[in-house]
Amino acid sequence: MKWKKLTIETTTMATDMISYELSELGVEGIEVEDHVPLTEEDRKTMYVDLLPDEIAPDDGTAKINCYLEEDQDLEEWAKKIEEKLEEIKEFFPIGSGKITFGETEDKDWINNWKQYFKPFRLDDNIIIKPTWEELTEQKEDDLVIQIDPGTAFGTGSHETTRLCISQLKKYIKPDTKVLDAGCGSGILGIIAIKLGVKEVLGIDIDPNAVIATKENMAINGVTEQQLNVIQGNILEDQSFQDEIGYDCYDIVVANILADVICPLAGKVTPHLKEGGIFITSGIINTKEEEVKEAILSNHMEILEINHLGEWVSITARPKK
């Protein structure tokens, strides 16, 4: 299958923000090219022998490649992206911002990324292992979660997932009932069950997320009685809100984009038990104040704010 390719010339400093905004626009295929040296963690989770023998020194520049389907209009996408770049350059140096077009052919675009996804340690005792890889190192008390993200977001390697797991560990108890809003590949719900929570309901607007979650549940021996997953829109569908249930969750966790968390803050309180906890992540640091304001304006108090890299997690609960 042929793909249209749109390339943005920018800086390494701006790649995270631009990638975030591209995902907000609906771009699914994003590739970053830079010269930033690999960390030790990168070397453990990637096939470094696939990289060229000589890598150019880091000069602060980068390219972001977007892959679009054949029927999509590159000129129209370029215009949308140029508008976003104008907004971003108020906060970050974006370099030239030059946009160029190209074309590529990749017969297995969906699966090629798998060669770079290796087992990795999420925290002290949680290991994320792709289903197609073998685990060579494991401690006696390690909790191994097998994941195949499929076409749903969520390998667990991202800082936002780490932030959520850290907060879940603080608040979960054996009788805890969790609502995972935007469950993706189901990684948070599966880990919550393995950590001992009583029950999880995963919800997502994307049907692929429901499929991926159910597949990953089966791989990890999680039953539908422990983790149920349903498709729907909690923000707009009243009947779906009714189906989710009211006053019945000890924790609502949302590892999604800031622009979804803001309206979600006005919807979660009826679903939480008294004293329930709202754990959020997926918030780029430039959106932190916006999310804080949304949470506070919906009669919640903020318990914790945590940062990892350029990402933020905010934990809150409804005021009494």
Side-chain angles (χ1 to χ4, degrees):
M1 177 178 178
K2 289 186 177 180
W3 297 80
K4 291 181 177 179
K5 181 178 178 181
L6 185 151
T7 300
I8 306 163
E9 294 181 9
T10 185
T11 64
T12 52
M13 184 181 295
T15 54
D16 277 355
M17 175 57 78
I18 294 174
S19 298
Y20 169 83
E21 293 294 351
L22 288 171
S23 67
E24 290 275 79
L25 288 173
V27 178
E28 296 181 354
I30 300 172
E31 175 188 42
V32 176
E33 297 180 43
D34 59 29
H35 306 301
V36 177
L38 295 177
T39 64
E40 285 304 311
E41 184 174 1
D42 291 332
R43 291 182 174 275
K44 291 176 183 177
T45 59
M46 294 176 63
Y47 281 130
V48 294
D49 57 348
L50 292 175
L51 299 173
D53 293 333
E54 294 186 7
I55 300 177
D58 182 16
D59 59 359
T61 65
K63 292 181 180 180
I64 300 178
N65 300 315
C66 308
Y67 295 93
L68 306 167
E69 294 183 2
E70 282 186 287
D71 60 351
Q72 294 184 290
D73 188 331
L74 283 179
E75 293 287 350
E76 183 179 331
W77 274 103
K79 184 177 179 181
K80 292 180 184 178
I81 292 170
E82 285 170 352
E83 291 173 356
K84 282 296 178 184
L85 293 177
E86 285 296 315
E87 296 175 10
I88 294 170
K89 73 180 184 182
E90 295 181 14
F91 304 97
F92 293 96
I94 66 165
S96 70
K98 181 181 178 182
I99 296 176
T100 55
F101 301 148
E103 189 177 81
T104 185
E105 186 168 353
D106 190 338
K107 294 181 180 178
D108 198 13
W109 172 258
I110 289 178
N111 290 306
N112 279 353
W113 62 273
K114 289 183 177 181
Q115 62 187 309
Y116 301 106
F117 179 22
K118 306 292 285 181
F120 65 93
R121 190 168 292 277
L122 186 60
D123 69 358
D124 291 339
N125 71 324
I126 299 177
I127 294 176
I128 304 299
K129 186 187 85 66
T131 54
W132 56 89
E133 289 289 337
E134 294 295 326
L135 191 60
T136 57
E137 296 183 10
Q138 182 180 353
K139 296 188 295 187
E140 186 176 346
D141 63 343
D142 279 340
L143 177 61
V144 179
I145 307 296
Q146 298 195 72
I147 291 292
D148 184 346
T151 55
F153 175 82
T155 64
S157 61
H158 201 281
E159 289 96 332
T160 64
T161 307
R162 295 172 187 261
L163 287 165
C164 282
I165 295 301
S166 175
Q167 292 305 99
L168 279 171
K169 280 188 166 184
K170 292 179 183 179
Y171 293 101
I172 61 175
K173 299 175 183 178
D175 60 347
T176 296
K177 188 174 179 181
V178 176
L179 174 64
D180 182 3
C183 60
S185 61
I187 186 168
L188 289 178
I190 291 169
I191 290 176
I193 292 295
K194 294 295 185 179
L195 290 173
V197 306
K198 179 180 180 181
E199 184 180 339
V200 178
L201 175 64
I203 61 173
D204 206 294
I205 197 169
D206 184 356
N208 290 317
V210 176
I211 294 169
T213 297
K214 288 184 176 181
E215 290 175 348
N216 288 321
M217 286 167 55
I219 294 165
N220 289 281
V222 174
T223 68
E224 291 186 3
Q225 287 70 38
Q226 294 172 304
L227 171 54
N228 187 24
V229 57
I230 54 177
Q231 179 193 353
N233 189 335
I234 189 174
L235 298 180
E236 299 178 1
D237 188 341
Q238 181 63 55
S239 63
F240 187 66
Q241 295 170 20
D242 296 340
E243 183 179 359
I244 291 168
Y246 301 102
D247 301 312
C248 55
Y249 298 97
D250 301 282
I251 297 173
V252 174
V253 59
N255 184 21
I256 43 182
L257 299 175
D259 288 348
V260 180
I261 292 173
C262 287
L264 182 62
K267 300 289 185 180
V268 296
T269 299
H271 302 285
L272 282 167
K273 294 179 182 177
E274 184 176 352
I277 302 296
F278 183 36
I279 298 172
T280 71
S281 193
I283 307 162
I284 194 75
N285 54 17
T286 56
K287 296 271 189 175
E288 178 179 343
E289 291 302 317
E290 183 179 336
V291 176
K292 283 169 58 178
E293 182 180 342
I295 289 173
L296 294 172
S297 65
N298 282 286
H299 309 292
M300 282 188 272
E301 59 179 342
I302 292 175
L303 303 178
E304 292 185 60
I305 299 177
N306 296 288
H307 300 82
L308 188 57
E310 295 180 312
W311 299 91
V312 183
S313 170
I314 300 176
T315 301
R317 68 182 171 197
K319 291 181 180 179
K320 294 181 180 178

